[in-house]
């Protein structure tokens, strides 16, 4: 797996296949070795973890180590990372620029930004090890696709349409831009479309492109399926795929029915990717030789397989520059109590993802659907925003709750958010929608502390 002491994608690919052949003992053995190496490096090079683990024995098991949160780590960012050249100030400057999307920080680190489902803004740095694992697992354990679907995709020229948020250093945006920069020929096989575009414009562009594969958020596919059913979108993909949001069973059935092809669900976190990959039975298999998930209850205690957790702790065994060890991810998960019938030794996991809502507002030309990721991106990328919620309070009314970052004047940040939302709504054909700041505090789901960024206001709150 190593060449000249360096982890490579090809090495990860080969090892990933050997691990599966070796069964559960091989998976668990690799996990133990990699955890020991990560902890040794982290104790020696991360001031934050060195202080956190002070007094604990060197051979302390994972379950005896303290849990950490995003807020705690971000508050000690410069002590958290193991490379002193990686600082929060430098990364803030780097990610504030659009021309750096797809380029490596300091020529050796890939950087993602996300507010996350807990609403806590996070800077995530991936080193060469983590990147090698990301690419090696993607090719060594690719998501299962039925042979007849592959044949249909090839017949359509293997054109993939990727419909996600743009304008920031997001996981999908950065990785797409990075791959295009390294191999420009890839533009022939994949094209990125922005969920920030008006739906009518997106439909027109997809009709012209005629993709063989369509990938977006669950809410994005739901809206595009409505356009397809109405006859405005006229594409015939061989496969659709979604990630980043919870996919409800009824929505899955509707999307598959409208597009006439299977839907593949993917799950990755910016902190660890690819966290899971689906098998031929649609089960999500955790790449447990590189990532550890510990489901916990509301008191932080482990829960048994088969039980839905309150939250989950993540340990990424690949990333040595920004160690993620017993990091509260915020998702509610259920580990499968039995081996999967596909025969893989990797455990199965079901994840409760985001539950943001598609908002439908009345405009001059009729009802317009607004994707939650589009609205969230507009607000999240406003300078000074810490956490936020956008609520639909009437047929043509939105309200926003905003928490400003320290050092930023709250009224100025709120005004900037309203200006950006107004510009976005105008572009969507909704110039008459009213906007207001909601003084109520931001509310999170008591299960796992997850934050719903975009939702319809509860009955009685303006509706």
């Amino acid at each position: 797996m190593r060449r000249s002491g360096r982890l490579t994608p090809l090495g990860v690919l080969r090892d990933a296949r050997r691990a599966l052949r070796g069964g559960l003992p091989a998976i668990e053995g690799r996990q133990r070795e990699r955890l020991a190496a990560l902890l040794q490096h982290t104790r020696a090079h991360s001031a934050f973890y060195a202080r956190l683990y002070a007094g604990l024995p060197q051979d302390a098991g994972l379950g005896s180590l303290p849990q950490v949160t995003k807020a705690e780590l971000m508050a000690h960012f410069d002590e958290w990372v193991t490379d002193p050249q990686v600082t929060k100030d430098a990364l803030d400057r780097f990610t504030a620029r659009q021309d750096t999307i797809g380029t490596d920080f300091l020529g050796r680190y890939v950087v993602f930004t996300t507010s996350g489902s807990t609403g806590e803004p996070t800077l995530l740095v991936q080193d060469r090890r983590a990147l090698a694992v990301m690419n090696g697992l993607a090719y060594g354990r690719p998501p299962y696709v039925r042979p007849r679907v592959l044949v249909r995709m090839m017949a359509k020229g293997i054109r993939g349409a990727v419909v996600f948020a743009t304008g920031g250093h997001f996981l999908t945006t950065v990785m797409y831009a990075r791959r295009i920069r390294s191999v420009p020929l890839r533009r022939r096989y994949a094209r990125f479309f922005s969920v920030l575009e008006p739906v009518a414009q997106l439909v027109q562009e997809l009709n012209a492109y005629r993709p063989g594969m369509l990938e977006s958020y669950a809410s994005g596919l739901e809206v595009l399926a409505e356009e397809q059913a109405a006859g405005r979108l006229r594409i015939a993909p061989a496969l659709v795929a979604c990630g980043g949001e919870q996919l409800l069973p009824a929505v899955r059935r509707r999307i598959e029915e409208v597009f006439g092809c299977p839907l593949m669900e993917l799950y990755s976190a910016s902190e660890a990717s690819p966290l899971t990959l689906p098998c031929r039975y649609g089960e999500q298999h955790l790449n447990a030789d590189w990532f550890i998930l510990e489901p916990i209850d509301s008191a932080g205690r482990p829960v048994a397989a088969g039980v839905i957790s309150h939250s989950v702790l993540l340990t990424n065994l690949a990333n040595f520059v920004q160690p993620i060890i017993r990091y509260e991810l915020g998702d509610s998960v259920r580990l499968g109590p039995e081996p999967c019938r596909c025969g893989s030794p990797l455990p199965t996991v079901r994840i409760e993802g985001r539950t943001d809502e598609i908002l439908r507002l009345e405009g001059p030309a009729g009802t317009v659907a607004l994707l939650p990721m589009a609205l969230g991106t507009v607000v999240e990328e406003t300078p000074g925003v810490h956490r936020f919620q956008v609520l639909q309070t009437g047929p043509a009314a939105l309200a926003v709750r905003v928490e400003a970052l320290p050092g930023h004047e709250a009224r100025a940040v709120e005004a900037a958010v309203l200006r950006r939302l107004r510009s976005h709504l105008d572009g969507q054909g909704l110039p008459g929608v009213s906007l207001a700041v909601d003084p109520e505090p931001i509310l999170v789901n008591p299960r796992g502390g997850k934050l719903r960024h975009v939702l319809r206001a509860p009955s009685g709150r303006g509706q």
Side-chain angles (χ1 to χ4, degrees), residues 240-397:
V240 291
C242 74
E245 294 175 328
Q246 183 180 11
L247 177 66
L248 299 176
V251 176
R252 168 189 282 275
R253 291 192 294 271
R254 176 61 173 166
I255 292 170
E256 290 184 329
E257 175 188 353
V258 169
F259 286 112
C261 67
L263 188 156
M264 178 171 64
E265 188 174 5
L266 303 169
Y267 178 74
S268 283
S270 298
E271 296 87 347
S273 180
L275 193 54
T276 70
L277 290 167
C279 71
R280 63 181 179 274
Y281 295 107
E283 295 287 353
Q284 296 289 330
H285 285 267
L286 173 66
N287 287 309
D289 44 345
W290 285 106
F291 309 120
I292 301 173
L293 287 183
E294 300 175 78
I296 56 174
D297 64 16
S298 59
R301 298 169 300 203
V303 302
V307 177
I308 297 176
S309 72
H310 173 84
S311 187
V312 65
L313 305 177
L314 168 68
T315 298
N316 182 337
L317 303 176
N319 193 340
F320 275 34
V321 69
Q322 189 183 40
I324 291 175
I325 304 169
R326 308 205 81 203
Y327 166 101
E328 187 167 6
L329 197 56
D331 287 326
S332 298
V333 305
R334 184 179 71 83
L335 290 181
E338 302 293 338
C340 182
R341 53 181 171 163
C342 75
S344 171
L346 297 172
T348 61
V349 58
R350 293 189 179 180
I351 303 99
E352 180 184 321
R354 297 182 181 182
T355 54
D356 289 342
E357 300 179 52
I358 299 170
L359 303 186
R360 291 175 170 82
L361 297 174
E362 297 302 321
T367 303
V368 176
L370 296 178
L371 298 182
M373 278 295 185
L375 283 171
T377 300
V378 170
V379 180
E380 180 183 343
E381 291 302 296
T382 305
V385 169
H386 178 61
R387 298 199 309 169
F388 69 92
Q389 281 180 320
V390 178
L391 301 93
Q392 181 176 355
T393 55

Side-chain angles (χ1 to χ4, degrees), residues 7-297:
L7 201 64
T8 67
L10 182 59
V12 172
L13 183 155
R14 290 170 173 167
D15 182 75
R17 293 176 176 175
R18 287 196 298 268
L20 292 183
R21 290 196 296 269
L24 189 59
I27 299 293
E28 292 177 341
R30 284 163 167 78
Q31 190 181 93
R32 286 192 299 271
E33 292 176 6
R34 289 164 184 166
L35 177 60
L38 173 65
L39 290 176
Q40 181 181 22
H41 178 85
T42 298
R43 284 177 180 266
H45 298 283
S46 170
F48 171 82
Y49 279 107
R51 185 171 60 252
L52 189 66
Y53 296 166
L56 295 175
Q58 292 291 323
D59 59 351
L62 182 64
S64 65
L65 299 177
Q67 301 173 15
V68 296
T69 65
K70 298 179 184 182
E72 182 182 15
L73 292 171
M74 286 301 298
H76 300 89
F77 188 91
D78 291 357
E79 295 180 301
W80 171 20
V81 294
T82 61
D83 183 344
Q85 290 186 286
V86 179
T87 67
K88 185 176 183 301
D89 285 346
L91 286 173
D92 282 340
R93 291 192 297 270
F94 179 82
T95 56
R97 296 170 50 187
Q98 295 290 302
D99 62 337
T100 57
I101 296 175
T103 64
D104 292 353
F105 179 68
L106 300 178
R108 59 183 182 274
Y109 298 122
V110 177
V111 180
F112 306 133
T113 60
T114 176
S115 68
S117 54
T118 61
E120 187 65 39
T122 315
L123 286 166
L124 298 164
V125 186
Q126 310 286 329
D127 59 15
R128 294 297 185 194
R129 290 176 54 86
L131 196 62
V133 169
M134 187 183 302
N135 291 323
L137 289 177
Y139 290 103
R141 295 173 185 160
Y144 178 79
V145 179
R146 296 186 184 280
R148 58 183 174 82
V149 174
L150 289 174
V151 171
R152 283 188 61 197
M153 288 176 62
M154 293 178 65
K156 295 174 179 295
I158 324 181
R159 288 188 306 278
V162 184
V163 186
F164 285 94
T166 55
H169 290 250
F170 313 124
L171 170 64
T172 308
T173 312
V174 167
M175 294 307 296
Y176 176 84
R178 194 174 185 277
R179 287 165 179 159
I180 294 300
R181 282 178 185 267
S182 63
V183 185
L185 187 61
R186 285 177 170 152
R187 291 183 187 275
R188 295 178 56 184
Y189 306 105
R191 181 176 166 187
F192 208 104
F193 298 83
S194 175
V195 296
L196 300 177
E197 294 180 358
V199 172
Q201 180 179 338
L202 181 59
V203 165
Q204 184 179 7
E205 292 175 356
L206 289 172
N207 282 336
Y209 186 60
R210 296 180 294 111
M213 177 178 175
L214 175 65
E215 182 178 355
S216 187
Y217 309 109
S219 60
L221 291 181
E222 185 178 355
V223 168
L224 291 174
E226 293 175 2
E227 295 296 306
Q228 182 89 354
R232 292 182 290 270
L233 181 64
R234 298 177 297 279
I235 60 175
L239 178 70
V240 291
C242 74
E245 294 175 328
Q246 183 180 11
L247 177 66
L248 299 176
V251 176
R252 168 189 282 275
R253 291 192 294 271
R254 176 61 173 166
I255 292 170
E256 290 184 329
E257 175 188 353
V258 169
F259 286 112
C261 67
L263 188 156
M264 178 171 64
E265 188 174 5
L266 303 169
Y267 178 74
S268 283
S270 298
E271 296 87 347
S273 180
L275 193 54
T276 70
L277 290 167
C279 71
R280 63 181 179 274
Y281 295 107
E283 295 287 353
Q284 296 289 330
H285 285 267
L286 173 66
N287 287 309
D289 44 345
W290 285 106
F291 309 120
I292 301 173
L293 287 183
E294 300 175 78
I296 56 174
D297 64 16

